[in-house]
Amino acid sequence: MDGDSEDIQVKNEGAYVKDGKLMFSTDGSNDSKFTVKLNPSKHMKIIVDGCEYETACEVTCKNDVKVELVSSKAERRLDINISNDKLKVYACVEYISQHQYKLKDLPISRRLDFVEEFDKEIQPPLYTIDEVKEILKSKNVVYGLNLENIKSLCEDKNGTEYMVAEAKEIIETVQDTVKLEFEKEKIHKVADDAVNIDFREVKDIAMVKPGEKIGEIILGKQGEDGINVNNKPIKCAKYIAGAFNIGEGAAKKDNLVISTIEGMPEFKNNTFCVKKLYQVDSNVDLSTGNVNFIGSVLIKGNVSEGMTVVAGSDVNIAGNVELAKVLAKGDLHISGNVIGSTIVIGGEDVDKKQELNTLINLKEELSKLQETVYSIKEKNVAVNRYDDGELIKVLVESKFKSISTDCMSIIRFNLKEKGKFDDLVMLAREKLIGLAPVKIKHVNELDCIRTLVEEYIKEISTGIKIHSKAIFSYIQGTNVSCSGDIFIDGRGAYTSNIIANNSIYFTRKDSVLRGGRLQAEKEIKCGVIGSDGHVTTVVEIVGKGDIWAEVAYANTIFKIKGKTLTLQDDSKNIHVYLDEMNMIDIDKLSL
């Protein structure tokens, strides 16, 4: 009987879980020494007398034992996305609830394998409108808040994105524009003769009669500034009334531009005009005589040997020009071949460009001359015992020879312009030409010349407004001078002297430049330069620009701003330029 009682007591000693709490069962005495093995689950830790265990451990009823269930906390997240242009702000909320667990009840045992079971779910508090506004404010989002969307955002538990702020977008300013009511050219194909059907393009020039509409001025309007979400203004462009002018042969009626004469409509340099057109339906030869017309000229045939065409505006020639002369103040387009002729495009502008280039070079050389004199005097004190004139004379005759050349050019310009540069010529003769420099006491006496040159540069630069362009197909043995760009869209140019005060472009990769000289102010792009016979061909940039070519053969001479480079081998993919040290350089591949 006593033995059975003892077994019951042993069976009742151990640990158990009731209502989620760990408890011990003893025989009622204070000296119970039994141990219990506790085995935690994955998201659980056992703390015994302050020491943490994440694996099985043995305890007694005398130990201070706690069981903690590890679980994530309830949290909330607010993601805010501000557009790069600060015009819109989007946000979404994520609410993450806490799943709280408890220990599953277990009977008394000397080994407890703990099991957790779901107890309850704890939700994080919802964001309030004020909280969201404060968070937006911390990100400098203070303008254009959408309170209705913010309210919906706070209540949404599905992660939906809401636009919570939107800027006041600018209303763009619309500037005045023009709508042209004419086609500049109409292209059609014709056969050269009835036997050999060799089609070529001929461009019909647009013509209008009095009273016809040639354009419309479409008025714009001032826009409105916007405000971004940071409450900063977004400025719109300022409205500037279009400076559209009405030239000869045109009139304005409300916002329409009407032709007042019969002629060729044009919109150039923001000016509408109708140019009187002189049309020659045949060749220009002895039967027609020379052409000299104040307006534009259209020639549907050839310009024959010994003939001259002079126009105060544009010239369009459908045929060839051979051993003739063409002078056009406006643009020039010759569809046929140009052989052994003289072509001048731009009239006075070409002369002004030459004057301007000479003056700019003289100014730069004078500055360098003065700097050189000051440098020599600083390094060689003995030189200071003499007047600066002797030193200046030596430098002009050796290192700065172009000063004398430029002075002589200015004297020629002065004769042509009937005394336009009298004061500059007088100073040049007094201080720069021949023995004149020896009279100079101090180098700063050259300041007055440089200042006067600068005034002329400013005056002439203002006077050059129209850059006439020329389009050719093929040029041979011809002198060409143009105040603007030259385009060669056919076979190319042979043994010709071609000068452009802007740029020169060969529009076909297989166009050939062979022999002669090509000179431009800004840029030259060519197809093939030279030949396998290595004929000398000069390609020059007067200002600071680049030269490009698909192919160039040996003995091609490249020049940029006075620096020279001669190509030694046949090459392709050519790029000639001035490097950082202002020295001429070339990138190329072997052909």
Side-chain angles (χ1 to χ4, degrees):
M1 186 74 177
D2 291 338
D4 292 339
S5 176
E6 185 176 345
D7 289 338
I8 293 172
Q9 288 178 352
V10 170
K11 288 181 180 179
N12 289 332
E13 288 181 336
Y16 62 97
V17 177
K18 185 174 179 59
D19 297 330
K21 296 181 180 179
L22 176 65
M23 306 182 74
F24 288 92
S25 175
T26 65
D27 60 359
S29 63
N30 293 328
D31 56 353
S32 296
K33 297 180 179 179
F34 66 88
T35 62
V36 178
K37 187 175 183 180
L38 303 180
N39 191 23
S41 66
K42 186 177 180 180
H43 302 293
M44 186 183 298
K45 61 183 177 182
I46 302 170
I47 302 172
V48 181
D49 298 331
C51 296
E52 294 185 3
Y53 296 89
E54 294 183 355
T55 57
C57 61
E58 290 188 347
V59 299
T60 70
C61 62
K62 296 186 180 298
N63 292 121
D64 180 18
V65 183
K66 296 179 181 177
V67 180
E68 290 186 1
L69 290 151
V70 180
S71 60
S72 60
K73 294 182 179 179
E75 60 179 310
R76 57 185 186 173
R77 297 171 186 164
L78 175 61
D79 292 327
I80 295 173
N81 179 24
I82 304 172
S83 63
N84 291 333
D85 55 13
K86 296 182 173 56
L87 295 180
K88 294 181 180 180
V89 181
Y90 294 90
C92 65
V93 167
E94 183 180 10
Y95 292 112
I96 304 172
S97 61
Q98 177 186 353
H99 286 183
Q100 188 167 305
Y101 295 86
K102 66 178 181 177
L103 292 177
K104 185 178 180 181
D105 289 353
L106 296 173
I108 297 173
S109 176
R110 296 289 179 89
R111 174 190 174 95
L112 291 182
D113 293 323
F114 289 128
V115 178
E116 59 192 49
E117 64 179 1
F118 178 75
D119 183 20
K120 59 183 177 180
E121 184 176 20
I122 301 174
Q123 296 288 345
L126 298 180
Y127 279 105
T128 66
I129 293 176
D130 288 340
E131 284 177 324
V132 174
K133 287 170 65 176
E134 280 300 315
I135 294 171
L136 290 172
K137 184 178 179 181
S138 70
K139 296 182 179 294
N140 201 27
V141 177
V142 292
Y143 179 85
L145 300 184
N146 188 323
L147 296 182
E148 184 177 340
N149 280 3
I150 293 175
K151 181 177 182 294
S152 298
L153 170 76
C154 294
E155 297 171 352
D156 191 289
K157 295 183 179 181
N158 298 317
T160 306
E161 188 175 62
Y162 292 86
M163 185 173 68
V164 294
E166 183 176 16
K168 176 189 175 185
E169 294 195 29
I170 64 171
I171 299 174
E172 296 287 355
T173 297
V174 179
Q175 305 293 356
D176 294 351
T177 57
V178 297
K179 178 183 177 184
L180 301 182
E181 299 289 348
F182 61 89
E183 292 182 57
K184 190 169 184 181
E185 295 172 337
K186 292 182 181 178
I187 301 174
H188 64 275
K189 301 276 189 178
V190 299
D192 280 343
D193 53 63
V195 179
N196 180 17
I197 308 299
D198 180 15
F199 284 97
R200 57 188 170 85
E201 288 185 347
V202 172
K203 295 179 171 64
D204 285 342
I205 305 302
M207 294 290 292
V208 293
K209 294 181 178 180
E212 284 191 34
K213 182 169 67 172
I214 63 172
E216 180 182 359
I217 298 174
I218 302 171
L219 299 178
K221 63 178 179 179
Q222 178 64 47
E224 293 182 14
D225 292 345
I227 304 173
N228 68 20
V229 295
N230 301 145
N231 202 29
K232 302 292 184 183
I234 308 170
K235 292 290 185 181
C236 66
K238 184 179 179 181
Y239 170 73
I240 301 173
F244 303 121
N245 304 312
I246 306 299
E248 62 179 350
K252 185 179 176 185
K253 184 178 181 181
D254 297 326
N255 289 330
L256 300 180
V257 183
I258 307 297
S259 170
T260 59
I261 62 172
E262 182 175 353
M264 182 176 66
E266 182 179 81
F267 181 72
K268 189 174 183 180
N269 297 324
N270 280 351
T271 301
F272 281 99
C273 66
V274 177
K275 295 181 177 179
K276 294 178 181 179
L277 181 69
Y278 181 81
Q279 183 169 311
V280 181
D281 293 326
S282 61
N283 296 332
V284 174
D285 52 24
L286 292 175
S287 65
T288 62
N290 294 327
V291 175
N292 191 333
F293 186 62
I294 193 171
S296 297
V297 173
L298 171 61
I299 299 169
K300 291 193 172 182
N302 303 320
V303 180
S304 303
E305 179 179 349
M307 306 309 294
T308 299
V309 176
V310 179
S313 188
D314 301 341
V315 173
N316 283 269
I317 301 173
N320 303 319
V321 177
E322 187 170 357
L323 299 173
K325 182 182 288 187
V326 178
L327 308 177
K329 291 287 185 71
D331 296 340
L332 171 68
H333 189 173
I334 301 177
S335 299
N337 301 325
V338 182
I339 299 173
S341 298
T342 298
I343 311 293
V344 179
I345 310 101
E348 290 183 354
D349 282 352
V350 174
D351 297 334
K352 288 181 180 179
K353 273 284 189 179
Q354 291 175 347
E355 293 173 2
L356 186 62
N357 290 339
T358 300
L359 291 166
I360 289 172
N361 189 68
L362 179 58
K363 173 194 168 185
E364 291 176 351
E365 291 299 292
L366 286 173
S367 296
K368 292 176 184 177
L369 172 62
Q370 289 180 291
E371 290 172 5
T372 303
V373 172
Y374 285 126
S375 178
I376 292 173
K377 291 175 67 177
E378 183 179 345
K379 294 176 181 177
N380 191 344
V381 180
V383 176
N384 291 316
R385 296 200 301 266
Y386 306 97
D387 292 340
D388 292 346
E390 291 289 347
L391 179 57
I392 291 171
K393 180 177 180 295
V394 172
L395 289 171
V396 169
E397 291 174 349
S398 57
K399 189 175 181 180
F400 298 97
K401 293 181 180 179
S402 67
I403 289 180
S404 296
T405 303
D406 290 338
C407 287
M408 297 309 297
S409 295
I410 291 168
I411 290 173
R412 288 196 299 273
F413 295 150
N414 193 51
L415 291 171
K416 187 176 179 180
E417 297 278 358
K418 298 179 180 180
K420 176 180 178 179
F421 301 103
D422 274 348
D423 47 359
L424 182 55
V425 169
M426 182 181 69
L427 285 173
R429 284 175 171 160
E430 288 178 358
K431 299 184 182 295
L432 293 175
I433 298 174
L435 297 174
V438 298
K439 301 175 184 177
I440 297 174
K441 299 293 183 183
H442 193 274
V443 66
N444 62 13
E445 292 178 36
L446 297 178
D447 288 347
C448 59
I449 299 179
R450 201 176 73 248
T451 300
L452 188 56
V453 169
E454 288 172 352
E455 291 176 1
Y456 276 118
I457 290 172
K458 184 176 181 181
E459 177 186 336
I460 294 173
S461 297
T462 304
I464 297 176
K465 295 180 180 179
I466 300 174
H467 295 283
S468 299
K469 71 177 180 182
I471 302 174
F472 299 98
S473 177
Y474 175 75
I475 305 172
Q476 179 178 320
T478 293
N479 292 319
V480 179
S481 180
C482 180
S483 66
D485 295 319
I486 292 176
F487 297 87
I488 298 174
D489 60 9
R491 286 186 294 156
Y494 289 71
T495 60
S496 294
N497 186 38
I498 302 172
I499 299 173
N501 283 329
N502 267 9
S503 301
I504 299 175
Y505 301 101
F506 287 70
T507 60
R508 280 172 37 179
K509 291 184 178 181
D510 61 347
S511 288
V512 177
L513 170 66
R514 184 174 299 162
R517 183 185 193 90
L518 211 64
Q519 179 182 300
E521 178 74 21
K522 296 180 180 179
E523 182 180 47
I524 295 175
K525 288 189 176 181
C526 299
V528 180
I529 304 177
S531 67
D532 51 12
H534 300 152
V535 61
T536 300
T537 307
V538 180
V539 183
E540 180 179 7
I541 295 291
V542 178
K544 188 174 181 181
D546 294 2
I547 300 170
W548 310 79
E550 297 293 325
V551 174
Y553 289 91
N555 212 30
T556 298
I557 299 173
F558 296 109
K559 292 185 176 184
I560 300 180
K561 212 170 184 180
K563 311 292 193 306
T564 302
L565 183 151
T566 302
L567 194 62
Q568 301 300 322
D569 52 357
D570 299 344
S571 305
K572 64 180 180 179
N573 298 342
I574 294 134
H575 177 204
V576 186
Y577 56 94
L578 292 183
D579 61 18
E580 294 178 354
M581 302 299 293
N582 212 33
M583 301 298 294
I584 193 168
D585 201 355
I586 185 170
D587 296 334
K588 61 185 177 66
L589 297 174
S590 297
L591 186 60

